[in-house]
Amino acid sequence: MTYVLRPATPLDASKIGEILYRFEHETPWMPKEHSRVEVIAFCDRMISRGWVTVAEDCSTDMILGFCAQDGAEVCSLYLSPEHTGCGIGKRLLDHAKRQTTKLKLWTFQANLAAQRFYLREGFVEKKRTDGQRNSEGLPDIEYHWHAQEMATAT
């Protein structure tokens, strides 16, 4: 499969919204708090702020995944379930890393696959919370990545 990374446009809001909506509604431990319309509106706001990069299949124009980055913070990194394990998440994260010398992000403690991914990609756990920090009320973990630390580690 050939795909490109590109900045999201307003027309992508429903496509990335569907990816995010599916994650919420197909993940057993996630609270089901948002309607499709609410998720699409949220994605539209991230796009309008210029935060979102999408991975788009060149032959079908299908959005395979997206990353929302606000400066040094990765706010969202999600893939359609059919496209996990294909290197798309790594490529989106590598793109985010090229934008800055340090990144931080949060992931839920229940999301073991995300934890493995971020640790493999050079992130370091900084702290854990009991869920009071996020709207879902789920315990989470803050991760940091620093380009300089990665350069000295290799």
Side-chain angles (χ1 to χ4, degrees):
M1 162 184 15
T2 305
Y3 63 92
V4 296
L5 301 186
R6 64 166 177 78
T9 69
L11 295 176
D12 296 321
S14 64
K15 295 174 186 176
I16 68 170
E18 186 62 22
I19 292 170
L20 190 54
Y21 179 83
R22 283 184 67 193
F23 176 80
E24 179 179 322
H25 288 268
E26 294 175 8
T27 302
W29 49 262
M30 274 297 287
K32 312 316 182 223
E33 297 181 328
H34 305 99
S35 69
R36 270 191 173 86
V37 171
E38 290 169 327
V39 174
I40 292 168
F42 172 72
C43 291
D44 186 58
R45 285 192 301 278
M46 290 192 298
I47 291 170
S48 69
R49 292 175 179 156
W51 294 357
V52 181
T53 299
V54 297
E56 180 180 58
D57 185 305
C58 294
S59 60
T60 64
D61 297 332
M62 174 192 267
I63 302 296
L64 310 172
F66 72 96
C67 180
Q69 178 182 1
D70 179 15
E73 183 171 6
V74 174
C75 306
S76 296
L77 177 57
Y78 291 92
L79 303 175
S80 66
E82 300 81 13
H83 296 98
T84 59
C86 301
I88 298 166
K90 178 177 175 28
R91 191 162 166 209
L92 284 163
L93 190 57
D94 286 347
H95 176 75
K97 288 176 176 178
R98 287 191 298 275
Q99 309 307 308
T100 185
T101 58
K102 61 183 177 178
L103 289 171
K104 74 173 189 173
L105 57 82
W106 291 86
T107 192
F108 297 114
Q109 289 183 31
N111 195 341
L112 300 178
Q115 291 175 52
R116 286 190 302 272
F117 172 71
Y118 292 125
L119 290 170
R120 187 176 67 239
E121 295 306 315
F123 283 77
V124 176
E125 181 179 323
K126 290 299 180 179
K127 68 179 169 183
R128 290 178 179 243
T129 76
D130 61 4
Q132 298 302 310
R133 188 200 70 79
N134 59 66
S135 64
E136 294 85 0
L138 296 174
D140 56 5
I141 305 170
E142 182 180 18
Y143 286 99
H144 289 195
W145 170 86
H146 297 277
Q148 188 173 19
E149 289 176 14
M150 292 308 298
T152 58
T154 56

